[in-house]
Amino acid sequence: MTKHKPITLDTVVRGIITLALIAVGAWLVDILSNVLLPFCVACLIAYILDPVVDFQLRHFHLKYRAISVFLTLIEVGIVLGGLAYFFVPSAIREFDNMAMLLKASTSENSMPSFIPPQLQQYLMRYLNIDNLMQYLNGSRLEAVLNKSTDVLTATVDFLLHTIEWLLIFIYVIFILIDYKRIMRGFRLAIPPKYREKAYPIFNDIKTNMDVYFRSQAVIAGCAAVLYCIGFSIVGLPMAIIMGITVGILYMIPYFQYITLIPVALICFVTSLTGAFEFWPEFGKCLLVYVVSQCICDYILTPKIMGKTLGMNPAIILLSLSIWGTLLGILGMIIALPVTALIISYYKQYVLAPNTPPDTADSNQ
């Protein structure tokens, strides 16, 4: 029978102080979010690139880690530049084609028969204006700047934000150069009496993050390729752009389905020109989602990531909402591995000690 420590005034005061420190920390994070976000993004980029730096340092027998860091950044720049060289012209052409389709659709006086007359009038009223087409070809920028009440203030603000995001590059360089020392510093910052319990937790977090992020990144890349091929086969305008967008959103569970809205809109606008019917084309796009998701969920994920995190979809959505509210987009990215780890430790350290041996054996 376990003995519980009595609740004393000292315990209550310590609890209140702990809660106050947590509240102050959350308040400071909220106040400094604009400053912390570039640093957090840089930490995430450094975390992803660190294995590449270590690989080059080990296999090329480089004497200084800084040389490996700059080689890695140059290689990443070459890869991103090559992708931009091949995909940006295609994206521009697709935007131009979409603008032409939108212009052609606004000249039509007929709407698909499945749309109610009231909705037809509403859509035609807004599709007849050139706003969407101007947004697509970028001619809206001058109008937005002209409407600014203070151009000088807007320009200074833009420059400050640009400098703020340029700091990411500097952060990445310094974090990668001292990555091992920074990680060791975090471990040594823990008071000695807590290290025995904290170090295994940190090791589990690192293992969980390594498996999830790198595996999920590979699966997201495969998903982008599958969707680009699928959308191109069915003839969807802006197929490459939508496929890459789906791949990027694949890093956050279930967020790839948000792209159904722009896909439906593209099918609708194109159907107004008479190029194809809305429902058959949209049905083909849905088939692309079904086939691609089946390949990703039942073939790629078991092979690349192994067994899944084993969480109910409702728990996944709840964890995305909570962590997204706390840490924004970064919180949504780390939501699943962190939540899975918290659940695992709750079962191990909270439920397990109080579970009778017979019950624990029967649950296995």
Side-chain angles (χ1 to χ4, degrees), residues 211-252:
V211 172
Y212 177 77
F213 281 122
R214 285 158 191 163
S215 302
Q216 189 70 8
V218 173
I219 296 172
C222 295
V225 173
L226 289 173
Y227 278 95
C228 286
I229 294 173
F231 288 148
S232 299
I233 290 174
V234 301
L236 180 73
M238 302 176 66
I240 304 298
I241 295 174
M242 294 309 305
I244 294 175
T245 303
V246 173
I248 293 173
L249 293 177
Y250 208 92
M251 288 298 296
I252 304 175

Side-chain angles (χ1 to χ4, degrees), residues 69-306:
V69 169
F70 283 108
L71 280 177
T72 301
L73 293 176
I74 291 172
E75 291 162 0
V76 171
I78 292 174
V79 171
L80 294 178
L83 292 175
Y85 177 80
F86 286 106
F87 286 108
V88 169
S90 175
I92 293 174
R93 285 195 299 270
E94 289 185 348
F95 273 114
D96 291 339
N97 292 335
M98 194 61 197
M100 294 174 60
L101 288 174
L102 185 60
K103 184 176 180 180
S105 66
T106 56
S107 63
E108 299 289 335
N109 294 323
S110 60
M111 279 276 187
S113 58
F114 63 86
I115 299 179
Q118 295 82 359
L119 184 58
Q120 289 186 18
Q121 296 176 3
Y122 177 84
L123 291 173
M124 288 304 298
R125 186 186 312 132
Y126 287 96
L127 286 175
N128 275 329
I129 61 176
D130 296 330
N131 287 345
L132 291 175
M133 190 172 63
Q134 290 173 353
Y135 278 117
L136 285 172
N137 60 29
S139 62
R140 200 70 172 162
L141 179 61
E142 184 179 355
V144 172
L145 291 177
N146 290 334
K147 290 181 180 180
S148 177
T149 56
D150 191 347
V151 177
L152 180 61
T153 303
T155 304
V156 171
D157 186 63
F158 172 77
L159 291 175
L160 288 176
H161 282 292
T162 303
I163 294 172
E164 193 174 275
W165 283 100
L166 285 176
L167 285 175
I168 293 178
F169 182 71
I170 300 174
Y171 282 145
V172 169
I173 293 175
F174 289 117
I175 292 173
L176 278 175
I177 291 175
D178 289 331
Y179 188 83
K180 304 302 180 185
R181 189 183 304 172
I182 292 172
M183 293 296 103
R184 189 162 52 249
F186 278 123
R187 296 173 69 90
L188 295 177
I190 301 173
K193 64 178 180 179
Y194 298 117
R195 289 177 183 174
E196 185 178 354
K197 293 182 178 180
Y199 282 178
I201 295 176
F202 281 168
N203 292 334
D204 287 347
I205 292 174
K206 183 179 184 303
T207 304
N208 236 24
M209 294 290 186
D210 289 347
V211 172
Y212 177 77
F213 281 122
R214 285 158 191 163
S215 302
Q216 189 70 8
V218 173
I219 296 172
C222 295
V225 173
L226 289 173
Y227 278 95
C228 286
I229 294 173
F231 288 148
S232 299
I233 290 174
V234 301
L236 180 73
M238 302 176 66
I240 304 298
I241 295 174
M242 294 309 305
I244 294 175
T245 303
V246 173
I248 293 173
L249 293 177
Y250 208 92
M251 288 298 296
I252 304 175
Y254 302 122
F255 262 55
Q256 66 269 25
Y257 298 116
I258 294 178
T259 55
L260 281 169
I261 298 174
V263 166
L265 182 61
I266 292 172
C267 292
F268 173 74
V269 171
T270 311
S271 68
L272 296 180
T273 63
F276 49 70
E277 295 292 331
F278 172 78
W279 286 116
E281 185 67 17
F282 187 58
K284 294 176 185 177
C285 293
L286 290 178
L287 183 61
V288 171
Y289 278 89
V290 172
V291 173
S292 300
Q293 284 303 126
C294 288
I295 295 174
C296 291
D297 293 341
Y298 299 111
I299 298 177
L300 296 179
T301 299
K303 293 289 185 182
I304 297 174
M305 190 177 288

Side-chain angles (χ1 to χ4, degrees), residues 21-75:
L21 290 176
I22 293 174
V24 171
W27 176 73
L28 287 175
V29 169
D30 182 62
I31 294 295
L32 300 175
S33 59
N34 291 334
V35 178
L36 293 175
L37 184 58
F39 179 76
C40 293
V41 172
C43 289
L44 182 60
I45 295 173
Y47 168 78
I48 295 173
L49 295 180
D50 180 65
V52 181
V53 175
D54 288 341
F55 177 84
Q56 296 188 135
L57 193 65
R58 186 170 57 253
H59 287 79
F60 296 162
H61 304 289
L62 300 174
K63 187 177 181 180
Y64 299 104
R65 183 177 173 86
I67 299 176
S68 180
V69 169
F70 283 108
L71 280 177
T72 301
L73 293 176
I74 291 172
E75 291 162 0

